[in-house]
Every structure is written in C-alpha cells, then in structure tokens.
C-alpha cells in the first residue's frame, strides 16, 4: 500500500468515527433514558427490616 492509501484509510476511519458520534448526539433522546441519579446499585434506596424488634 502506498502512503496515500494509508492516509486515506486513516482519514476514512476518523470521519466514520466522528460521524457516528455526531449521529449519536443528534439522535439522543434524553427523555427515553434514565437519569444518572437513578442508576444506584440495587437495594441502596430500599428500606431495611429491623430484626432486633
């Protein structure tokens, strides 16, 4: 492969990566995703039973 072909492959990879990121940002629907504050570990916010009583 010549240097020009390698540079074109690198440029194509960068454009594809950048383009897919832009597509992700443009099509993001914040209302369809849970908020980060609600992603706690299971059982963190549940009440515990008092077994001593």
């Amino acid at each position: 492969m010549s240097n020009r072909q390698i540079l074109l492959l690198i440029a194509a990879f960068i454009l594809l990566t950048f383009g897919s990121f832009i597509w992700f940002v443009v099509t993001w629907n914040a209302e369809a995703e849970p908020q980060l504050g609600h992603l706690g570990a299971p059982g963190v916010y549940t009440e515990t039973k008092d077994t001593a009583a």
Side-chain angles (χ1 to χ4, degrees), residues 20-36:
S20 65
F21 176 74
I22 294 298
W23 181 261
F24 172 75
V25 170
V26 168
T27 60
W28 178 259
N29 183 2
E31 294 175 357
E33 301 295 329
Q35 295 179 3
L36 290 177

Side-chain angles (χ1 to χ4, degrees), residues 6 13 15-16 18 26 30-31 33-35 37 41-42 46 52-53:
I6 293 172
F13 174 77
L15 287 174
L16 181 65
F18 185 70
V26 168
E31 294 175 357
E33 301 295 329
Q35 295 179 3
T46 60

